[in-house]
Every structure is written in structure tokens, then in C-alpha cells.
Amino acid sequence: GENVEQHPSTLSVQEGDSAVIKCTYSDSASNYFPWYKQELGKRPQLIIDIRSNVGEKKDQRIAVTLNKTAKHFSLHITETQPEDSAVYFCAAAEYGNKLVFGAGTILRVKS
Amino acid sequence: NAGVTQTPKFQVLKTGQSMTLQCAQDMNHNSMYWYRQDPGMGLRLIYYSASEGTTDKGEVPNGYNVSRLNKREFSLRLESAAPSQTSVYFCASSEANRGRAYGYTFGSGTRLTVV
């Protein structure tokens, strides 16, 4: 089955700096890669996703890139703000739309 | 539009007790899922239901059973709770169809403690 590895496990940045979180996946058949943000005590919420026929997708300060050959994808957050502090999860969709999640990255934005 | 609703939000069980976690979605999604979340381990799939009338095991199904009652509702049952089942449980739904994946909408979670 699919295996997703996520790095780093924790990331501290200064407000206004950029943050990058990287994930690798094992199954070359996976074709959908969402990212979720989870604030403390809340549910995970979808913030951006990318399909395997696209190399990059942007939504305001957030972007995701996908390298199918290397089987890795990354989340980029620019001009970080304190409200970006949360746990971020990457995921890859196995056959049947079962999402396999990475272990998560705790992002702390220091003001 | 309520999205995905889970009950209860909190529960404390004694070892060996049973309980059912309820989940309902009002988005007319075909697929529903149960995940557990443990510190440092992300979200792990317990069971899923690709469509009404079907259920399948996920990564960590031992000690659990599920029922897809209808298109809206998907329940998770612990027959004999163990301390290892202490976790936060999330239900999710998706409009996934054959060959095309979609993101999940999650419920607010159930924090379960087994003592």
C-alpha cells in the first residue's frame, strides 16, 4: 500500500518568512495530493490540493508543487502570519480515494 | 449546511465496555471514512465505505466494526474497549467516484479515553 513520509516534524519561522513542508510517497499510481491544516483541538481542513497532471498550484499565499518522477510534493507558505501556526498534514490518495496521511508538521510562526 | 456531524464529542469508557460513535453527513457524498489520530502518527484509516452498502477495512481495523446505515450515516463500534483505543476519532466524507479522488470533509472529532 501507499506510504507517505513528511518532513520536518516541527518548523519554526519568523513572521513574514516563508515555510516549506515536504512529503514523499511510494505508490506511483497515486494521483491526488491534498494538504490539510489542523488548529489545536479542531478538525483537519483542506487548504489546497493538486492532481498528478499538474505540476504547481497556487492560492494566495499558499502553493503546492508536485514532482511525479521523484514522487514528492511540497507545501509553500509565503509571508507567514501568526494565524498560520497549526499542524499541517499531507496526504496521497490510494485506489478508491483512500487518503494516506503523513505524520504531520507543527508550524510555529513567531511574531 | 451542517457538513459532517459526529457524536459524542467526548467519552470515557472502562476497559471492556462497548460503545458506538455516530457520524452523519448532509452533503450527499458517496464515500465515508473513520480515522483515528494519535500524537506523532498522523491520521490512520480504520474502516471506509466507498458507497452505500459497502464497507472495507483500512490500515488499523482490529477491535472495531462499522455499519453504513444509509447514504448519510456511518457508525463505528468498539465491542470491548481497550486502553490502546484511547485516541481522537474523526469521521470524514467525500464525493469520490470511480477513478477520481476528492478531498475529505471531516467531522469535529470524538475524544475517547479508555481507562
Side-chain angles (χ1 to χ4, degrees):
Chain A
E2 177 65 274
N3 182 53
V4 177
E5 295 189 355
Q6 182 171 348
H7 301 280
S9 56
T10 60
L11 178 60
S12 291
V13 299
Q14 205 65 36
E15 183 179 358
D17 287 350
S18 295
V20 180
I21 302 170
K22 299 181 179 181
C23 290
T24 61
Y25 61 99
S26 61
D27 188 351
S28 56
S30 292
N31 58 12
Y32 175 70
F33 307 91
W35 286 87
Y36 288 82
K37 176 183 180 181
Q38 185 179 29
E39 297 175 347
L40 189 62
K42 301 285 184 65
R43 73 191 78 190
Q45 294 202 303
L46 179 68
I47 55 171
I48 195 167
D49 57 12
I50 192 167
R51 298 189 183 275
S52 58
N53 59 346
V54 176
E56 184 177 5
K57 184 177 179 180
K58 290 182 181 179
D59 183 3
Q60 300 182 339
R61 295 186 298 108
I62 293 174
V64 57
T65 58
L66 172 65
N67 183 326
K68 284 195 302 181
T69 302
K71 289 191 280 189
H72 67 69
F73 56 113
S74 300
L75 178 71
H76 304 254
I77 306 174
T78 59
E79 300 174 14
T80 54
Q81 301 168 4
E83 51 265 39
D84 294 328
S85 296
V87 181
Y88 291 81
F89 293 97
C90 62
E94 287 189 309
Y95 176 79
N97 196 36
K98 294 179 293 178
L99 290 182
V100 177
F101 288 84
T105 296
I106 301 171
L107 174 64
R108 297 190 183 97
V109 180
K110 297 174 287 187
S111 57
Chain B
N1 189 348
V4 179
T5 302
Q6 281 183 244
T7 56
K9 294 190 184 302
F10 301 94
Q11 184 71 48
V12 178
L13 290 179
K14 293 182 179 179
T15 297
Q17 287 186 318
S18 62
M19 77 162 295
T20 300
L21 282 65
Q22 307 286 353
C23 176
Q25 53 93 7
D26 61 3
M27 296 172 287
N28 202 36
H29 285 169
N30 287 319
S31 301
M32 299 185 73
Y33 312 83
W34 277 105
Y35 282 82
R36 60 178 288 173
Q37 184 175 33
D38 302 293
M41 301 186 73
L43 294 130
R44 292 182 294 167
L45 182 64
I46 305 171
Y47 270 93
Y48 68 103
S49 172
S51 61
E52 185 179 356
T54 68
T55 61
D56 283 290
K57 295 178 180 179
E59 179 186 356
V60 288
N62 290 346
Y64 305 95
N65 283 299
V66 290
S67 295
R68 183 75 183 265
L69 304 171
N70 47 55
K71 191 171 186 179
R72 292 186 62 249
E73 298 173 287
F74 188 39
S75 62
L76 178 71
R77 182 159 178 85
L78 287 71
E79 291 290 353
S80 179
S84 61
Q85 294 178 305
T86 294
S87 187
V88 180
Y89 292 84
F90 285 101
C91 176
S93 70
S94 168
E95 64 176 290
N97 53 44
R98 284 191 185 278
R100 187 165 179 85
Y102 291 88
Y104 295 175
T105 299
F106 283 90
S108 57
T110 296
R111 187 172 296 275
L112 175 67
T113 302
V114 183
V115 297

